Amino acid sequence: MELQTLTTIVVGLTFALYIGIAIWARAGTTGEFYAAGRGIHPVANGMATAADWMSAASFISMAGLIAFKGYDASIFLMGWTGGYVLLAMLLAPYLRKFGKFTVPEFIGDRYYSQTARIVAVICLIVASITYVIGQMKGVGVAFSRFLELDYDTGLYTGMVIVFIYAVLGGMKGITYTQIAQYCVLIFAYTVPAVFISLNLTDNPIPQLGLWGSLSDGTPLLQKLDATLVELGFAEYTAQKGGTLNMVAYTFSLMIGTAGLPHVIIRFFTVPKVRDARASAGWALVFIGILYTTAPAVGSMAFYNLAKTVQPGPVAAADGALEYEARPQWFKNWETTGLLTFNDKNGDGRIQYRNGDTNELKVDRDIMVLANPEIAKLPNWVIALVAAGGLAAALSTAAGLLLAISTSISHDLMKGIFMPDISEKGELMAARVAMAGAILVAGYFGLNPPGFAAQVVALAFGLAASSIFPALMMGIFNKRVNNTGAVAGMLAGLGSTLIYIFWFKGWFFFPDTAMAANTPDNHFLGIAPEAFGAIGAIINFATAIVVSKLTAPPPEHIQHMVEDIRIPKGAGAGIDH
């Protein structure tokens, strides 16, 4: 069957499944919309959390980063998985025991302050909107290639799909939809990886194939190192960035993971405190399947790309691929504008080199989606990858939009400005807020400040610098008061935003950047994506110092903090 027809059928069937689940599990109460009625089994919640977590950045962009950055991209593997250990041990059970619906609600009650709650909402919206931009970029990339739409039309299509099933189902519908999406995306990710590993190394297990040898007996990684050096790049397995930046980047991703609101609220959906910790464990298992496969996918994708455009020796005049002889997959991706060739020397051949002589520009976000085509796998595998990429982007986008809408409807309207609003009115407000968030995310998706994983890393930095410290001190430091918490969140978020905008442009408009985004201009060589770790230190320090200089929290708040850490039951869930 023709690829276009097959892809349309596969993607259409998965979309029909998602929308059908949303209609079946439509939320009828705020408890179902915000927390799925607190009745999700920990294994199911772990799978839904994994889908919520494994976004376009994980599915589409992370392997692309590994392909082009090699060893340096290991920070994503370590940061994004290590954060779940922090989440399981330090946050999830305690927040579930507190029994609220949202992160700002916990912060508002713990710090006995509506101001703290409002600041937490601002932090949540800033981080979540930034994160959802990356998902919109992934949706646009996948649609533009596999449904042969232009990028903008693909993005609009994805916005409509997310709107339908996220607005209808709330957390209840999103949870069951995400379980289906996990099954789709993990199957779509691992099947082509098995095929490609088998083709290159004769080993069907990608995790082992990465350390295997090619048909000529040369280890795959050794061959990659030699190929890159020949093309003028640094070795694939060599560290290329500064150590301090890598450490800060890893910590930013780790604590950003533990502070992301759309992940945290998933642990409010289980019946008991013990289930919250179990959910985090199961999520890590389900996530690990993809994350241990990603290095093999990235490495093999890059090897196949290099072998395609440079089939002969670099020194030979005819070593590079003739542009007119380029394969069909190359032509397919050219139509999207995400793969471009500029014949600088006019020889009609594709010179892929490091430096100004390079004639090939490859968007890193296409590597996973293009990988099956480059490896000449069957059309059904290519269609499956398209469906998986869309599932990854849409599942996370839905979770983020829910976090944004609940913070607006529950924390701002119900909690502060309109406490007497009816349950029906609150549900409507949540759905309207979600629609507004989709429109904002769509706009920035049309004008993204980077590739998907880069945008997501910025969101992690914002969560790391604002929300994570407030949660940690709220649970483990009873002396931190409302003044300190508000000052800390504002200092952490403000410093991180200013640093990001300084190099990325104010509010992500590139023309307004104050300095070139190069290592030489960075503070201690720390990239904007890694600054969240520094912002978190600023948050902790500010909150603790200000709290020491001001009155301690009331006695009942200090007792409440101690009670949260006592490993006893959560009691009944609180509905509104």
Side-chain angles (χ1 to χ4, degrees):
M1 186 181 293
E2 183 186 357
L3 175 59
Q4 174 67 22
T5 304
L6 188 60
T7 304
T8 303
I9 292 172
V10 172
V11 171
L13 288 174
T14 58
F15 282 176
L17 174 64
Y18 306 153
I19 294 172
I21 291 173
I23 294 172
W24 165 72
R26 181 170 183 172
T29 67
T30 52
E32 290 180 338
F33 193 90
Y34 296 143
R38 301 198 196 278
I40 306 298
H41 190 278
V43 176
N45 193 50
M47 191 176 292
T49 304
D52 204 350
W53 170 246
M54 290 191 294
S55 62
S58 293
F59 189 99
I60 296 174
S61 196
M62 184 172 64
L65 277 170
I66 294 170
F68 286 92
K69 294 175 72 71
Y71 174 83
D72 283 12
S74 61
I75 56 177
F76 292 92
L77 300 172
M78 296 178 64
W80 282 344
T81 52
Y84 262 89
V85 179
L86 295 179
L87 191 59
M89 301 302 295
L90 300 179
L91 294 180
Y94 307 114
L95 292 175
R96 172 61 189 91
K97 184 177 180 181
F98 198 70
K100 299 296 182 179
F101 281 136
T102 68
V103 170
E105 190 173 15
F106 167 79
I107 290 176
D109 286 4
R110 160 58 183 88
Y111 295 113
Y112 51 98
S113 167
Q114 296 288 47
T115 302
R117 189 170 182 172
I118 292 172
V119 171
V121 170
I122 293 170
C123 294
L124 183 152
I125 291 174
V126 170
S128 297
I129 285 288
T130 306
Y131 199 164
V132 84
I133 294 169
Q135 311 319 307
M136 293 296 106
K137 170 76 187 298
V139 169
V141 170
F143 268 119
S144 64
R145 164 62 190 94
F146 292 107
L147 296 184
E148 296 188 357
L149 303 171
D150 62 85
Y151 177 86
D152 292 4
T153 304
L155 181 59
Y156 294 139
T157 306
M159 289 167 62
V160 171
I161 297 296
V162 171
F163 176 82
I164 292 172
Y165 79 78
V167 170
L168 270 180
M171 178 60 85
K172 184 179 178 183
I174 286 172
T175 296
Y176 292 109
T177 302
Q178 285 173 337
I179 292 171
Q181 287 168 328
Y182 176 80
C183 296
V184 171
L185 74 87
I186 202 64
F187 192 62
Y189 201 85
T190 54
V191 167
V194 168
F195 272 108
I196 294 169
S197 180
L198 198 57
N199 288 344
L200 290 178
T201 67
D202 290 328
N203 193 322
I205 303 174
Q207 291 88 338
L208 300 178
L210 176 63
W211 307 101
S213 299
L214 302 171
S215 56
D216 62 358
T218 307
L220 172 62
L221 292 177
Q222 182 180 321
K223 182 69 172 179
L224 265 177
D225 281 344
T227 300
L228 282 169
V229 169
E230 194 177 10
L231 294 172
F233 298 95
E235 288 187 343
Y236 191 80
T237 57
Q239 179 180 329
K240 295 167 275 292
T243 300
L244 179 60
N245 182 63
M246 288 190 69
V247 171
Y249 212 142
T250 303
F251 273 102
S252 182
L253 294 175
M254 285 180 67
I255 61 179
T257 298
L260 279 174
H262 79 288
V263 173
I264 293 173
I265 61 174
R266 288 235 53 90
F267 299 102
F268 300 161
T269 66
V270 293
K272 296 177 290 189
V273 173
R274 181 175 60 185
D275 295 336
R277 185 170 277 138
S279 291
W282 279 109
L284 196 54
V285 170
F286 292 127
I287 290 167
I289 297 173
L290 186 145
Y291 272 54
T292 56
T293 307
V297 172
S299 304
M300 293 173 186
F302 190 83
Y303 176 76
N304 280 330
L305 173 67
K307 186 174 66 173
T308 299
V309 299
Q310 188 67 42
V314 172
D318 60 351
L321 178 71
E322 286 188 17
Y323 180 67
E324 293 302 323
R326 68 195 186 283
Q328 186 60 43
W329 68 264
F330 195 109
K331 298 175 183 177
N332 294 339
W333 281 100
E334 275 187 301
T335 61
T336 69
L338 300 172
L339 178 70
T340 57
F341 168 66
N342 178 17
D343 193 3
K344 295 180 179 179
N345 61 5
D347 67 350
R349 293 182 179 274
I350 303 170
Q351 308 292 336
Y352 183 54
R353 304 286 187 272
N354 184 25
D356 294 335
T357 60
N358 183 44
E359 299 177 342
L360 182 67
K361 183 179 180 181
V362 184
D363 189 305
R364 298 176 185 185
D365 287 344
I366 77 170
M367 289 307 296
V368 169
L369 299 176
N371 203 15
E373 294 180 275
I374 298 173
K376 300 177 181 178
L377 298 184
N379 282 351
W380 68 267
V381 178
I382 299 170
L384 186 63
V385 170
L390 290 167
L394 295 174
S395 62
T396 302
L400 289 164
L401 293 166
L402 181 68
I404 294 168
S405 70
T406 54
S407 68
I408 293 173
S409 63
H410 186 68
D411 291 303
L412 291 184
M413 295 188 66
K414 174 74 173 178
I416 298 174
F417 300 118
M418 300 175 65
D420 297 327
I421 190 173
S422 66
E423 183 167 313
K424 185 177 180 181
E426 188 180 351
L427 266 176
M428 179 56 66
R431 288 174 168 139
V432 170
M434 190 176 288
I438 290 172
L439 293 175
V440 173
Y443 170 78
F444 282 108
L446 294 172
N447 306 278
F451 49 88
Q454 199 173 38
V455 178
V456 167
L458 295 174
F460 278 78
L462 295 171
S465 63
S466 59
I467 297 171
F468 176 79
L471 294 176
M472 284 292 292
M473 290 183 288
I475 295 170
F476 295 102
N477 189 337
K478 64 182 182 180
R479 181 60 181 81
V480 176
N481 60 18
N482 53 4
T483 308
V486 170
M489 285 189 288
L490 291 176
L493 179 67
S495 59
T496 305
L497 270 178
I498 290 171
Y499 193 81
I500 290 172
F501 289 159
W502 194 264
F503 296 105
K504 296 284 186 179
W506 296 93
F507 300 99
F508 297 128
F509 290 100
D511 294 341
T512 62
M514 306 300 290
N517 188 18
T518 61
D520 291 340
N521 290 330
H522 295 157
F523 172 68
L524 299 177
I526 298 174
E529 295 84 358
F531 196 79
I534 307 301
I537 294 172
I538 293 172
N539 187 330
F540 275 115
T542 302
I544 291 171
V545 170
V546 171
S547 295
K548 290 287 186 183
L549 298 176
T550 51
E555 197 70 24
H556 74 278
I557 295 293
Q558 298 190 46
H559 287 308
M560 179 185 73
V561 173
E562 291 179 342
D563 290 342
I564 291 174
R565 299 198 300 271
I566 297 174
K568 295 202 302 191
I574 300 172
D575 204 344
H576 293 267

